[in-house]
Structures are given as C-alpha cells and as structure tokens.
Amino acid sequence: MNEAEFYTKLGKRIKMLRENAHLTQEKLAEKCGISLDYLGKIEVNINKPGLKTLLKVSEALDVPVKSLFDF
C-alpha cells in the first residue's frame, strides 16, 4: 500500500466511524478542536493528519486509536 492509498483508506475509515457514531462533520470537528474544513479534507485525502490530530479524533469518537487503522 502506498502513501496515497493509506491516507485514502484512513479518511474513509474516519468517515465511517463518524457516521456510525451519528456525528456530523461539524460536530466531530468541534469535539476534536479542529476546523470543519480540515476534517472534511482528511476524509477525502486532501489533508494528511498528524498523530496529535488522530489522537483527538479517536478520543472524540470514543474508540481506540488503533481502530482508525482497521482497514
């Protein structure tokens, strides 16, 4: 898997977990302390989140950080 494929799968996984938690992008971004635009771009592989952001996302979704990579 190359870098582009990895971040595409990560974005899709975050989107799926967000939808399963019945959260809008706006609500998840608010819970993470990041902008709605930034979250949206993570979900479609325009932005590549760092570890700090991924930790915030996993916390906001109430899932272990490793579950973000279950793809």
Side-chain angles (χ1 to χ4, degrees), residues 6-7 10 14 32 34 38 42 47-60 64-66 68-69:
F6 172 80
Y7 282 107
L10 178 62
I14 290 170
C32 293
I34 62 175
Y38 185 60
I42 289 170
N47 285 354
K48 295 169 178 58
L51 181 57
K52 199 172 188 180
T53 300
L54 292 175
L55 290 171
K56 289 178 182 180
V57 169
S58 70
E59 221 173 82
V65 72
K66 70 178 187 170
L68 299 179
F69 305 103

Side-chain angles (χ1 to χ4, degrees), residues 4-5 8-9 12-14 18 22-23 27-29 36 38 45-47 53 55-57 59 67-68 71:
E5 290 171 326
T8 297
K9 289 180 179 195
K12 287 179 180 180
R13 178 72 177 158
I14 290 170
R18 174 182 59 76
H22 306 290
L23 294 172
K27 187 64 179 171
L28 180 57
L36 172 60
Y38 185 60
N45 188 23
I46 294 172
N47 285 354
T53 300
L55 290 171
K56 289 178 182 180
V57 169
E59 221 173 82
S67 72
L68 299 179
F71 45 80

Side-chain angles (χ1 to χ4, degrees), residues 30-46:
E30 182 183 307
K31 288 179 78 168
C32 293
I34 62 175
S35 74
L36 172 60
D37 183 59
Y38 185 60
L39 177 61
K41 288 178 178 179
I42 289 170
E43 288 188 359
V44 295
N45 188 23
I46 294 172

